[in-house]
Each structure stands twice: as structure tokens, then as C-alpha cells.
Amino acid sequence: EFPLSLVTPVTSYRQHSANDLNPWLRGDCYKHAIWINPADALARGISDGDMCDVYNEYGEVHIPAFVTSRTVPGTVSIHHGSWYRPNDTKTNLMPFGIDEGGNCNLLIGDTHLPHIVGALLTAGLVQVKKLGGE
């Protein structure tokens, strides 16, 4: 159901979420996106820049794709530090609205995966679909 391993590293463009709203650290300087390997993107019909729906049993976020070979197949990455920006779509899983800011914390449970010991970057398992796609 959730075949991709999500990692949530920090970026030098934020100190936790302190600089998420800084306009100087947006656009060409830093583009918040889900990093996805070309093989995983191709299997899902996702191209670089496409808006994606990322979800699991904990939450759901919308975020653009950054298709790159700098992440291994089977692993996706969302940098830590984005604020929760709910839209008007309310679901049982997201009763206050689906996040449009790409907040990776909404996809992280309170327990660790059994095969990960001491790796703080591993957040859990997710599925990624092109927004509006099947």
C-alpha cells in the first residue's frame, strides 16, 4: 500500500521551520519539493515539477516533484521545515484540510520502522501519485 521509504532531512535553507515564510528563500533560491527517483516517477507518470499527492496512514500533503537521480529508487525525500497550509478539502485522515505546503511531519508516525536503528532521517512509508492522476 505504501511502497516508498520517506526520508526527511534538514536543509541549509531553514532552521526547522523558521525560514519557511522568508521570501528570499523561495523561488530560484529554494524550491520545496519531493525528491523522487526517475524510475519511481516514470512508474507513476510523474514529471519534474508535477504536483503530487503524498500520503500514508498518518496524513496527506500536496507538493511538487523534483525528479532526480540523487535519490535511490524506492526512496523519496521531503526536506523538514515546511509549515502546514491546509486547503479546503477535508477528509477523515485530514479533518482540517489537506496540506498544500509539503509538511513532512504530517506523514510521520510516533513509532520507528523495525528495520531502522538510530537513523533519524527515516520517517516511514508513503505512496506518491500525480495530483489529478489515477
Side-chain angles (χ1 to χ4, degrees):
E1 187 175 6
F2 307 115
L4 300 170
S5 180
L6 172 69
V7 295
T8 59
V10 296
T11 174
S12 59
Y13 295 100
R14 295 191 177 130
Q15 181 182 13
H16 298 290
S17 65
N19 290 317
D20 186 41
L21 297 181
N22 185 335
W24 289 9
L25 298 177
R26 293 200 170 267
D28 289 338
C29 180
Y30 172 74
K31 295 179 183 176
H32 190 62
I34 183 167
W35 293 34
I36 185 168
N37 183 276
D40 293 322
L42 181 64
R44 292 163 173 76
I46 296 171
S47 298
D48 192 57
D50 284 348
M51 284 301 293
C52 294
D53 185 26
V54 183
Y55 62 93
N56 61 15
E57 70 271 27
Y58 302 114
E60 183 173 3
V61 303
H62 294 165
I63 187 170
F66 174 47
V67 179
T68 177
S69 60
R70 290 185 267 173
T71 186
V72 297
T75 300
V76 293
S77 176
I78 300 176
H79 286 111
H80 172 76
S82 179
W83 288 15
Y84 171 55
R85 294 181 188 92
N87 65 16
D88 292 332
T89 304
K90 295 170 177 43
T91 65
N92 287 338
L93 189 59
M94 300 298 293
F96 301 105
I98 296 172
D99 177 46
E100 298 285 337
N103 183 331
C104 62
N105 290 341
L106 298 170
L107 303 168
I108 300 171
D110 293 334
T111 60
H112 295 283
L113 295 176
H115 65 284
I116 302 298
V117 178
L120 297 177
L121 297 179
T122 300
L125 301 173
V126 297
Q127 178 60 283
V128 179
K129 292 185 179 177
K130 182 175 177 178
L131 199 58
E134 293 299 321

